Amino acid sequence: MNIKEILKEGKDEKLFLLGNEATVRGALEAGVAVASTYPGTPSSEIGDVLSKISPEAGLYFEFSTNEKVALEVAAAAAASGLRSFTFMKHVGLNVASDSLMSVAYSGVNGGMVILSADDPSMFSSQNEQDNRHYARLANIPMIEPSNPQEIKDLMKYSFEISEKFQLPILMRTTTRVSHMRGMVELGPIKESKNKGFFRKDPGRFVPVPETARKMHGVLMEKMEKIEDLTNKSPLNRIFNRGGKIGVITGGSAFNYVMDVVEENDLKVNVLKLTFSYPFPEKLIFKFIKDLDRIVVVEEVDPVMEKEVLAVIGKYGLEKKVYGKLDGTLPMIYEYSPDIVLEGLETVLDLNLQKKEVYRTEIPLPNRPPTLCPGCPHRAAYYSIKKAVNNLGLENVIYPTDIGCYTLGIESPYQAADYLLSMGSSIGTSCGFSKATDQRIVSFIGDSTFFHAGIPALINAVHNKNRFLLVILDNSTTAMTGGQPHPGLPVDGMGGEAPQISIEELVKAAGVQFSKTVNPLNLTRTQGIFEEALQYDGVAVVISKYPCMLIKSREKRKTVTADIDLDKCENCLECLKDLTCPAIYEEDGSVNIDPMYCRGCTVCIQMCPEKAISAKK
Amino acid sequence: MKPYNIYISGVGGQGIIKTSTVIGEAAMKNGMPVVMSEIHGMAQRGGVVSTQLKIGDAYSPIIQEGGADLLLAFEPMEALRAISQINRESFVVTNTSSIMPFNITASENPYPELSVILDELQSHSKKLFALDAEQIAKDAGHILSLNMVMLGGAVAVPGFPLDREVIMESMRENLPEKSMPVNLKAFEEGFRVCLEK
């Protein structure tokens, strides 16, 4: 499928879409005028598709500097009467949360949907926080789709509800829904109104204490009305299968429940909560009142389980609830059909014949992700280690940040000692600088620097810290698939854009020692690192070379490293100190795979025997 | 329709997701319900990549352990790692050319002998189809057509629910036009080699 097909008019046609692609189609069918994000897996492909089709689709799309800015862009558009859509990974909503709380109070005019893509089991995240709590914290409605078709349909529905009640809607997906592919039947695309008008109303849009008190009351009234809706909504659907046992579930967990129930023909009633907040108390009461046993199947926290228990307490019922709290189901990580079946077997007292599952007893080497062949980060890590050793420095602390370079945690680099969140490398370096006498070398990527590094760098200089900050500038947001950022001359829709200079930002933050190096030049890079390590203050080295994945796309590879086995003394330094996927050992000697080699020349420069050379 | 479950595994960069999409779209165009799961993100950087496809009536794309009808492995050790997905009625198609993990010299566990891997797969499945997809791809014109060699192999497996023409049509819709001759040759050769086994 060509990605542009997402744009096609074709009502009633079917496409095989990724959840994230279906999200974009839903936005188009809803007539979204403004969309914004900061890239983050598992939500990244939504932005990638919007980036390709927005100009043609006639909507405005941007990669914002961070998620808070993205949410603010969308909030203002919605206040001006346009339909707006902002989306991010779960931890991105933490960044945006300050403004999220307020937009719940002030509400919207045009519909606004905020999508949070959660990552149970942490396929590509630092935690697996459950963002259903945010619907409760901000007190806004939540919608949880289970598959691509639902995502598309519910995007449209969410905008209608948002506009009707003048509140933003929080849509929660999880990795298995965002990255699920399925058939999606298309609906008509709605032409979007793309110029709004902001009608001033400070009593509504400026939450100072006096107005905010009133706004909170208004929010409570809106949510009460929406609870009537969630109690009656056909989105919250009961699958009656007879018997006295019922399962309450939603999202991805619903899919596992249905597969297990249907395959094993279990006599279990299922309530799927799709419009899941405000929690539909009356519907829950109606569903459970004649049941003996209730099982709550949800990923990650026991959110609904506690709310079901509250309903039972409130109505004075005596019912047994099975779920996470009593240990029937695991408390953490994502679920699977196997996990759900095991839980249901306990509740139903079943002993189904298990499929034979064979596990090999041969211990297998693991296959961790690694920096790509030719990655400029590898060269930077190699040189910083050389510089630190050359100066005889010990106990150096390496705060790191979020991006491909977090893979610096691996041997032999071992250059990742402390990480909290986007931008934390610089803030925590300030703390280590005050709390210890250890040397500190901090790493942050270019996109992450724009996202949350700048305020911390100002803090570092102003509060007289001492550390070396290495800005690993590979001219892209690499880990999420290569999205642009403010340091590039291109915007989210592929148009020309003013390029913001990292060098100038660093200088403007008051940094006195600031140098830019090409990390693929090992000698010079090591020299500059050594100089920077001896500087008494905040030193910044910008290690600047484009990501190899972008370079490969441009087919700019010019040379390949070639090893002369007659000269090679088999010291294995290249193999052990670089761990480049192109360099491997076979039959006791070192080889370089020409297919993987990207011609970065780092191994050529570091080989003590000069046994590696560049081949055209 | 009872779902036909396919588990595909290998290493990031081998074209696993593209192959899976070709199968999925072919199923859809053939009027069969289909769902698929894929993992993106950090897994791409040389790590293990896997997808799961259910062709038939299913809610979730996640296959129960031991529930795969077909294991399609682009790398032999990754076939062995995924062995808990199959049962004695399952078919296995595996590439025999290995990709060493980058950290293998520092690894506690050595890369297993190919014969050991194949024995394990053979003795816990209904039938194993092992082929040197890398060599076949190179012979077809480009190593990157390895995924189409594997796809050809999969289509030759007894019980595979889609026929060659439907898959080839989907290839045409999903792959760049200029690489089609090489990809089609790779596909045909993978199909032929497996059919003769």
Side-chain angles (χ1 to χ4, degrees):
Chain A
M1 187 196 80
N2 181 324
I3 217 69
K4 292 262 163 99
E5 282 190 49
I6 292 175
L7 259 177
K8 73 178 177 188
E9 200 39 64
K11 187 174 153 6
D12 300 330
E13 273 190 67
K14 280 181 193 162
L15 291 178
F16 189 53
L17 296 183
L18 193 66
N20 283 337
E21 294 166 352
T23 310
V24 175
R25 178 69 194 195
L28 295 175
E29 291 185 11
V32 165
V34 171
S36 57
T37 190
Y38 181 83
T41 309
S43 76
S44 307
E45 297 81 11
I46 304 175
D48 293 343
V49 177
L50 277 170
S51 166
K52 289 190 187 98
I53 67 164
S54 287
E56 203 176 321
L59 64 88
Y60 173 76
F61 168 68
E62 72 171 40
F63 287 112
S64 307
T65 318
N66 64 34
E67 295 86 353
K68 182 169 183 282
V69 175
L71 185 132
E72 288 157 357
V73 166
S80 308
L82 299 182
R83 287 195 165 183
S84 72
F85 176 45
T86 187
F87 50 98
M88 54 203 70
K89 69 182 291 170
H90 59 333
V91 287
L93 198 53
N94 297 337
V95 178
S97 62
D98 209 352
S99 290
L100 171 71
M101 297 302 135
S102 297
V103 75
Y105 275 24
S106 55
V108 295
N109 287 327
M112 175 174 174
V113 173
I114 303 158
L115 183 145
S116 162
D118 291 10
D119 192 17
S121 280
M122 298 156 279
F123 290 93
S124 41
S125 307
Q126 66 266 43
N127 75 23
E128 60 171 348
Q129 69 183 52
D130 185 335
N131 276 5
R132 291 177 300 165
H133 293 295
Y134 269 116
R136 281 125 181 115
L137 188 58
N139 201 22
I140 53 173
M142 169 157 276
I143 295 217
E144 295 180 74
S146 300
N147 59 50
Q149 179 78 52
E150 279 191 10
I151 295 181
K152 195 222 76 179
D153 295 342
L154 292 170
M155 279 289 289
K156 226 169 123 181
Y157 178 74
S158 296
F159 276 101
E160 284 160 20
I161 296 297
S162 171
E163 237 155 61
K164 184 169 172 200
F165 294 93
Q166 303 201 321
L167 262 186
I169 306 286
L170 183 55
M171 181 179 281
R172 184 219 193 198
T173 62
T174 56
T175 301
R176 294 294 184 179
V177 178
S178 303
H179 286 171
M180 172 178 181
R181 220 175 254 281
M183 286 186 289
V184 176
E185 205 165 302
L186 308 182
I189 288 182
K190 188 178 148 108
E191 198 151 324
S192 63
K193 168 180 141 190
N194 47 22
K195 265 297 164 239
F197 184 81
F198 178 66
R199 221 171 294 284
K200 297 182 193 199
D201 187 355
R204 189 177 155 202
F205 291 118
V206 186
V208 292
E210 193 197 334
T211 52
R213 278 184 211 115
K214 287 181 194 139
M215 290 177 189
H216 197 183
V218 172
L219 173 61
M220 297 306 285
E221 281 167 28
K222 288 179 184 174
M223 287 300 278
E224 223 170 275
K225 283 187 197 142
I226 301 176
E227 193 177 326
D228 282 345
L229 196 62
T230 59
N231 274 313
K232 290 175 204 145
S233 172
L235 295 176
N236 295 332
R237 183 172 164 206
I238 295 172
F239 297 77
N240 263 319
R241 301 173 53 88
K244 291 280 191 188
I245 296 171
V247 175
I248 299 170
T249 186
S252 192
F254 162 78
N255 295 335
Y256 307 145
V257 169
M258 290 309 282
D259 275 349
V260 163
V261 162
E262 291 195 348
E263 189 180 327
N264 299 288
D265 203 17
L266 304 180
K267 226 179 166 201
V268 165
N269 301 296
V270 178
L271 169 59
K272 177 190 198 293
L273 288 188
T274 302
F275 201 162
S276 60
Y277 194 79
F279 197 64
E281 241 182 68
K282 287 184 185 136
L283 172 66
I284 296 291
F285 174 73
K286 192 179 103 186
F287 180 65
I288 66 176
K289 67 178 185 336
D290 298 321
L291 297 174
D292 292 337
R293 299 178 203 182
I294 300 132
V295 196
V296 183
V297 185
E298 59 189 323
E299 297 168 318
V300 173
D301 291 340
V303 175
M304 295 197 296
E305 188 176 349
K306 286 182 181 169
E307 284 167 349
V308 169
L309 285 165
V311 172
I312 288 174
K314 186 169 168 183
Y315 287 84
L317 306 173
E318 273 187 42
K319 306 271 178 197
K320 172 83 179 123
V321 176
Y322 300 81
K324 291 169 183 279
L325 296 172
D326 71 331
T328 301
L329 288 156
M331 187 58 95
I332 56 177
Y333 307 142
E334 71 166 359
Y335 285 176
S336 68
D338 290 294
I339 290 171
V340 171
L341 180 60
E342 205 181 309
L344 289 181
E345 273 189 291
T346 319
V347 180
L348 293 160
D349 250 339
L350 292 173
N351 201 354
L352 298 168
Q353 184 152 15
K354 283 267 167 10
K355 279 202 182 82
E356 168 203 20
V357 174
Y358 174 75
R359 281 171 223 285
T360 181
E361 278 167 19
I362 300 167
L364 299 178
N366 59 2
R367 199 185 286 279
T370 184
L371 298 171
C372 305
C375 175
H377 300 338
R378 173 180 292 105
Y381 282 134
Y382 177 79
S383 293
I384 194 74
K385 288 277 157 162
K386 282 284 228 194
V388 164
N389 285 341
N390 211 26
L391 296 175
L393 302 176
E394 284 176 355
N395 298 316
V396 176
I397 309 173
Y398 297 100
T400 190
D401 226 299
I402 295 192
C404 295
Y405 49 94
T406 318
L407 293 169
I409 192 172
E410 284 162 11
S411 193
Y413 328 115
Q414 291 171 317
D417 294 325
Y418 198 78
L419 170 65
L420 297 174
S421 61
M422 291 286 286
S424 73
S425 56
I426 307 178
T428 59
S429 293
C430 296
F432 286 124
S433 158
K434 295 297 179 195
T436 72
D437 284 330
Q438 287 163 272
R439 289 302 178 84
I440 300 147
V441 180
S442 191
F443 296 102
I444 192 168
D446 41 352
S447 191
T448 309
F449 178 72
F450 285 112
H451 176 289
I454 298 163
L457 184 59
I458 294 168
N459 184 76
V461 174
H462 182 68
N463 289 309
K464 302 186 287 276
N465 289 285
R466 178 188 177 165
F467 60 86
L468 163 58
L469 172 67
V470 182
I471 301 178
L472 297 163
D473 180 359
N474 61 359
S475 305
T476 189
T477 316
M479 181 57 100
T480 44
Q483 295 80 5
H485 60 60
L488 299 169
V490 59
D491 68 16
M493 298 186 287
E496 269 183 57
Q499 199 170 358
I500 315 296
S501 156
I502 295 180
E503 279 89 346
E504 284 172 32
L505 281 174
V506 166
K507 287 197 182 111
V511 174
Q512 300 296 317
F513 184 110
S514 159
K515 296 203 170 173
T516 300
V517 295
N518 173 358
L520 299 191
N521 182 336
L522 295 187
T523 315
R524 181 173 140 77
T525 304
Q526 184 183 332
I528 300 255
F529 279 154
E530 285 181 20
E531 208 185 313
L533 280 164
Q534 295 173 76
Y535 181 75
D536 190 20
V538 177
V540 173
V541 174
I542 301 167
S543 170
K544 192 168 181 160
Y545 197 83
C547 168
M548 276 295 174
L549 290 175
I550 299 178
K551 292 210 63 124
S552 317
R553 255 177 251 154
E554 293 167 358
K555 296 203 181 355
R556 263 200 263 159
K557 177 176 170 182
T558 48
V559 295
T560 302
D562 187 42
I563 190 157
D564 181 348
L565 290 177
D566 291 337
K567 284 192 195 164
C568 176
E569 298 279 333
N570 241 7
C571 68
L572 305 184
E573 254 182 59
C574 55
L575 200 67
K576 288 180 176 152
D577 292 354
L578 296 178
T579 55
C580 171
I583 306 176
Y584 64 100
E585 194 182 2
E586 200 171 71
D587 308 326
S589 61
V590 176
N591 287 276
I592 298 170
D593 190 326
M595 200 184 93
Y596 285 114
C597 176
R598 300 256 68 86
C600 74
T601 74
V602 168
C603 58
I604 298 173
Q605 295 172 57
M606 60 85 72
C607 175
E609 306 302 329
K610 302 274 168 258
I612 311 176
S613 59
K615 200 169 80 177
K616 285 264 174 195
Chain B
M1 172 188 169
K2 186 179 172 299
Y4 183 84
N5 299 335
I6 310 171
Y7 193 95
I8 308 182
S9 72
V11 179
Q14 287 191 302
I16 290 167
I17 290 177
K18 182 53 95 183
T19 309
S20 312
T21 313
V22 169
I23 299 175
E25 273 195 30
M28 185 183 82
K29 296 256 158 80
N30 213 28
M32 297 166 164
V34 56
V35 283
M36 167 179 158
S37 177
E38 50 191 83
I39 289 294
H40 302 217
M42 206 139 184
Q44 288 177 349
R45 304 283 179 268
V48 181
V49 168
S50 67
T51 64
Q52 311 185 38
L53 275 144
K54 286 184 185 170
I55 301 172
D57 294 314
Y59 285 85
S60 138
I62 309 299
I63 300 167
Q64 274 184 265
E65 283 200 314
D69 296 291
L70 169 64
L71 168 62
L72 184 62
F74 285 42
E75 203 281 341
M77 183 172 76
E78 295 316 319
L80 187 51
R81 207 191 298 280
I83 202 167
S84 63
Q85 302 294 334
I86 59 166
N87 60 61
R88 285 179 191 281
E89 294 305 308
S90 313
F91 290 93
V92 177
V93 180
T94 187
N95 175 15
T96 54
S97 50
S98 54
I99 299 175
M100 288 293 147
F102 76 92
N103 60 345
I104 192 72
T105 42
S107 169
E108 249 177 68
N109 306 324
Y111 191 101
E113 290 288 331
L114 181 63
S115 59
V116 174
I117 294 177
L118 298 182
D119 278 351
E120 283 270 283
L121 293 168
Q122 179 91 58
S123 54
H124 293 93
S125 64
K126 183 157 188 169
K127 188 167 179 186
L128 169 70
F129 300 85
L131 66 165
D132 187 347
E134 190 176 311
Q135 193 54 52
I136 299 172
K138 281 180 188 162
D139 293 345
H142 203 291
I143 187 165
L144 287 179
S145 67
L146 183 147
N147 59 342
M148 292 302 114
V149 177
M150 296 305 298
L151 181 58
V155 176
V157 165
F160 189 83
L162 299 160
D163 61 33
R164 289 172 60 200
E165 282 65 35
V166 177
I167 292 283
M168 287 195 302
E169 185 53 39
S170 183
M171 282 168 65
R172 276 182 210 103
E173 280 171 24
N174 282 285
L175 304 173
E177 207 181 320
K178 72 174 198 299
S179 62
M180 268 321 277
V182 171
N183 279 323
L184 278 174
K185 202 169 159 197
F187 173 83
E188 294 281 14
E189 198 52 22
F191 181 82
R192 190 188 63 78
V193 169
C194 265
L195 208 59
E196 285 173 4
K197 281 189 190 278

